[in-house]
Amino acid sequence: MQFGGRKKKISTIPQSELYGQHLQFYGQPPLENISLSEFETFAAERLKLLKTVENLGVSHVKLTEPYRRKLESQLKALNFPYRPDAVSMFPILLHYKCLFPSVSQREDLRRWFIQQEVDLFRFHFTELVPKQQLAFLHKNNLHYDTISSEEKTALKDQLINSSFGVSGIKVMEHEFYKVPFQDALDLVRLRKVYLKQGYAYIPHQDIVTIVLNDFRTRLSKALALTARSLPAVHSDERLQPLLNHLSHAYVGQDYSIQKNVGKISLDQIDSLSGKSFPLCMRQLHQSLRENHHLRHGGRMQYGLFLKGIGLSLEQALQFWKMEFIRGKVDADKFDKAYAYSIRHMFGKEGKRTDYTPYSCMKVILSNPPSQGDHHGCPFRHSDPELLKQKLQVYKVSPSGINQILELVKGMHYQLACQKYFELTHNIEDSSFSLNHPNQYFLESQKLLGGGKDIKREMDAPQRSQENSASKGSTGTQEVAANTSQHLAEMTEDLESFFQEA
Ligand code: SF4
């Protein structure tokens, strides 16, 4: 890709070489023509891939056979071909470099991103046979050579004594790399290698350490270098919305089209919030019931979630009004100040856009709650002590709480939420990768009876609501689904309607 002002270059590297394998140092940006939609799709696919790597890295011991097998099968299932792999790194670099104004957010993400990329790289590298590894190193200007059998025989005793876990048989069977001492400082520091005349002799299984260090350094530099493109990116009206969207996007279903509009009655919400709402929505619901009010961040997050699980416009208006008039807002003020924004959320006002419920990524990364707010992700935004108390109130076992807090400490917020799901649903393995609060809800309902809960409860006294809901359903389905490129823009527009005076 090209940024403004640069001369167009033609790639001299054949595509087969650029996209011939998964293992890359990503030193050469793609210089072919790539459409913006491909650019965006590849980036979203890569985020999905990295999320899978993260999930497995937490649920399995890295480098063990079960970890490798599971990662291999999941990568196969994701089916991420070579070309998107090679291309997708570049929008992702821009994405991480550009979007997060807060230094701590950027630092969190930078570390997360590099860690997942390094784990993925390690997997691909260790999948190669030694000959392919050597070829890869040479291709990337890491001119390390393996020593000959004669040299191995001459240094056999020193190699056995200096290298970890190497026996006489292994010395003769496996390759040893001769690497400049300064490139192997980590292994030297750990006294894991034999040193002679400025060279470290590295057993085959340890060469990956050096390559990974190199990869990590290159990636960090690439992120730093990306900063140079920022002025061009910020002024490029095509790229900016795309990158913005990526930060809020979540990979998978966006829950913008509700299939069960009107299938949930207002009476069910209290019970559903305890059984099937993720913690973020459970806490919003609870504080709405307690305070009869939510500030705009909470109304946005919770309102769109409720819409996503199937509340019709009429139900939403009734739900919010009933609660608000129990507090300091009278019916007249509600109709004037709040009803419009709810209709707007359902695409009945303004640009008539059908808004999409927030993904976990959006909740976690944008608009952190401040004093008096109840929105956000409790796993990301709550103080650990407060989170612990909340979990205790929700009857999570002490060992479960510890597991959750460990995941939170490692910044695995969605995995912590998934653990909460498993503990509260009494299952060992939730077997889905959590990306969205509405996905949490659907998975929970599936588990608790394939959504029969909703239908069964609905059958009883809710006929009148069902009827009015079905009217809302028709209206809602008329609204066309959004194109992803407009999403961020539209959400910002909606947010402005929710701002309190
Ligand atoms: Fe909500 Fe997602 Fe956070 Fe879970 S991880 S609490 S679903 S935002």
Side-chain angles (χ1 to χ4, degrees):
M1 59 174 290
Q2 300 288 321
F3 291 113
R6 258 195 240 165
K7 256 188 160 185
K8 192 166 183 180
K9 286 188 225 158
I10 304 295
S11 174
T12 49
I13 301 181
Q15 292 222 352
S16 58
E17 238 183 83
L18 255 183
Y19 308 136
Q21 57 179 347
H22 278 304
L23 198 65
Q24 296 238 8
F25 272 145
Y26 305 103
Q28 168 78 59
L31 295 170
E32 57 164 323
N33 286 332
I34 295 164
S35 72
L36 283 173
S37 76
E38 266 188 320
F39 194 67
E40 185 177 17
T41 309
F42 291 170
E45 289 294 311
R46 188 167 203 94
L47 285 178
K48 196 170 174 181
L49 182 71
L50 297 183
K51 192 81 196 34
T52 303
V53 173
E54 182 199 17
N55 285 355
L56 281 177
V58 173
S59 56
H60 291 70
V61 179
K62 285 180 197 172
L63 305 181
T64 56
E65 210 29 52
Y67 169 83
R68 299 187 65 78
R69 273 205 310 273
K70 193 109 193 211
L71 185 53
E72 191 181 358
S73 76
Q74 297 216 358
L75 292 182
K76 254 189 209 143
L78 282 174
N79 187 23
F80 197 52
Y82 298 140
R83 181 168 170 268
D85 184 12
V87 173
S88 62
M89 174 60 87
F90 298 91
I92 293 283
L93 284 175
L94 281 175
H95 165 65
Y96 282 113
K97 198 66 210 174
C98 298
L99 290 173
F100 303 103
S102 119
V103 174
S104 67
Q105 265 186 353
R106 272 207 304 262
E107 188 45 34
D108 280 3
L109 281 162
R110 195 188 70 84
R111 271 192 280 140
W112 180 86
F113 166 64
I114 292 183
Q115 186 56 53
Q116 309 322 320
E117 286 292 348
V118 164
D119 284 350
L120 185 62
F121 183 94
R122 185 202 285 115
F123 172 77
H124 288 315
F125 185 79
T126 51
E127 284 290 283
L128 300 180
V129 298
K131 213 170 147 192
Q132 291 170 316
Q133 290 181 343
L134 196 62
F136 174 80
L137 297 181
H138 285 182
K139 201 174 117 195
N140 288 284
N141 292 328
L142 293 172
H143 293 291
Y144 306 144
D145 278 314
T146 47
I147 60 173
S148 63
S149 301
E150 293 74 39
E151 198 173 357
K152 253 196 270 184
T153 311
L155 295 174
K156 188 174 170 185
D157 290 342
Q158 291 91 325
L159 294 176
I160 294 169
N161 292 335
S162 317
S163 312
F164 181 74
V166 172
S167 65
I169 304 169
K170 278 195 177 167
V171 166
M172 299 320 291
E173 271 182 0
H174 293 294
E175 301 288 0
F176 272 77
Y177 291 83
K178 194 171 165 184
V179 172
F181 155 80
Q182 66 275 15
D183 290 355
L185 291 179
D186 278 353
L187 294 171
V188 173
R189 187 165 44 81
L190 295 170
R191 297 168 188 262
K192 282 179 88 176
V193 286
Y194 175 60
L195 288 176
K196 187 185 168 198
Q197 296 176 341
Y199 284 95
Y201 287 73
I202 299 174
H204 160 74
Q205 73 271 15
D206 284 336
I207 194 69
V208 67
T209 310
I210 298 194
V211 184
L212 285 182
N213 275 345
D214 198 80
F215 180 62
R216 192 185 291 271
T217 311
R218 287 178 195 230
L219 216 49
S220 296
K221 275 193 193 150
L223 279 167
L225 279 174
T226 311
R228 289 191 193 164
S229 318
L230 293 193
V233 172
H234 283 311
S235 61
D236 191 321
E237 60 194 27
R238 300 161 310 152
L239 282 178
Q240 194 59 31
L242 185 150
L243 292 170
N244 269 334
H245 174 235
L246 206 51
S247 76
H248 301 316
Y250 119 94
V251 274
Q253 200 179 332
D254 68 4
Y255 299 95
S256 57
I257 300 166
Q258 303 88 55
K259 294 191 185 101
N260 1 317
V261 178
K263 290 196 178 155
I264 289 196
S265 73
L266 297 188
D267 287 356
Q268 285 176 272
I269 294 179
D270 283 326
S271 105
L272 286 173
S273 78
K275 288 191 288 187
S276 292
F277 282 15
L279 202 51
C280 53
M281 302 304 168
R282 196 171 176 179
Q283 83 176 12
L284 279 165
H285 183 74
Q286 195 180 341
S287 86
L288 177 66
R289 288 291 194 224
E290 281 168 10
N291 307 318
H292 313 298
H293 190 264
L294 278 179
R295 292 168 79 177
H296 80 272
R299 295 201 301 277
M300 288 284 291
Q301 187 177 321
Y302 191 39
L304 287 170
F305 168 79
L306 289 176
K307 178 185 162 201
I309 68 171
L311 241 60
S312 67
L313 171 61
E314 290 76 8
Q315 286 178 306
L317 284 166
Q318 195 186 341
F319 172 76
W320 289 102
K321 188 169 183 174
M322 262 169 23
E323 205 53 54
F324 271 45
I325 58 175
R326 286 192 187 132
K328 292 181 187 155
V329 177
D330 61 33
D332 198 35
K333 183 170 177 199
F334 181 88
D335 290 339
K336 283 189 187 130
Y338 298 99
Y340 179 88
S341 59
I342 293 166
R343 284 198 300 276
H344 196 275
M345 193 194 282
F346 278 77
K348 300 295 177 199
E349 301 285 356
K351 286 185 192 168
R352 302 194 168 252
T353 306
D354 198 7
Y355 291 95
T356 311
Y358 291 174
S359 68
C360 293
M361 208 186 277
K362 179 167 167 67
V363 174
I364 290 170
L365 293 179
S366 55
N367 189 23
S370 43
Q371 191 74 22
D373 284 334
H374 297 276
H375 67 270
C377 169
F379 299 102
R380 170 67 182 92
H381 298 119
S382 289
D383 175 80
E385 204 39 51
L386 196 66
L387 176 61
K388 189 175 168 183
Q389 284 172 27
K390 270 180 210 165
L391 294 170
Q392 281 165 343
V393 171
Y394 293 146
K395 308 232 173 334
V396 179
S397 67
S399 70
I401 293 179
N402 286 342
Q403 291 177 55
I404 290 174
L405 293 179
E406 269 308 302
L407 289 164
V408 167
K409 206 160 130 197
M411 299 189 305
H412 305 296
Y413 309 117
Q414 284 155 264
L415 292 177
C417 184
Q418 209 158 326
K419 178 55 70 186
Y420 169 79
F421 181 97
E422 288 162 4
L423 293 164
T424 50
H425 290 77
N426 215 7
I427 52 166
E428 285 281 314
D429 183 355
S430 49
S431 75
F432 63 89
S433 178
L434 178 73
N435 289 304
H436 203 293
N438 290 74
Q439 177 196 16
Y440 183 109
F441 175 79
L442 287 180
E443 292 291 344
S444 169
Q445 282 295 298
K446 228 192 278 172
L447 211 65
L448 298 173
K452 282 178 206 139
D453 253 23
I454 296 176
K455 288 184 197 117
R456 203 172 40 239
E457 289 177 35
M458 188 181 72
D459 279 345
Q462 303 302 331
R463 295 290 175 201
S464 61
Q465 273 180 1
E466 187 183 356
N467 291 338
S468 68
S470 62
K471 283 180 209 155
S473 150
T474 319
T476 309
Q477 282 162 357
E478 280 167 7
V479 181
N482 309 328
T483 65
S484 61
Q485 228 164 332
H486 290 138
L487 181 62
E489 199 186 309
M490 293 181 306
T491 308
E492 273 160 29
D493 182 41
L494 175 62
E495 267 164 5
S496 67
F497 281 102
F498 274 82
Q499 296 290 337
E500 280 171 325

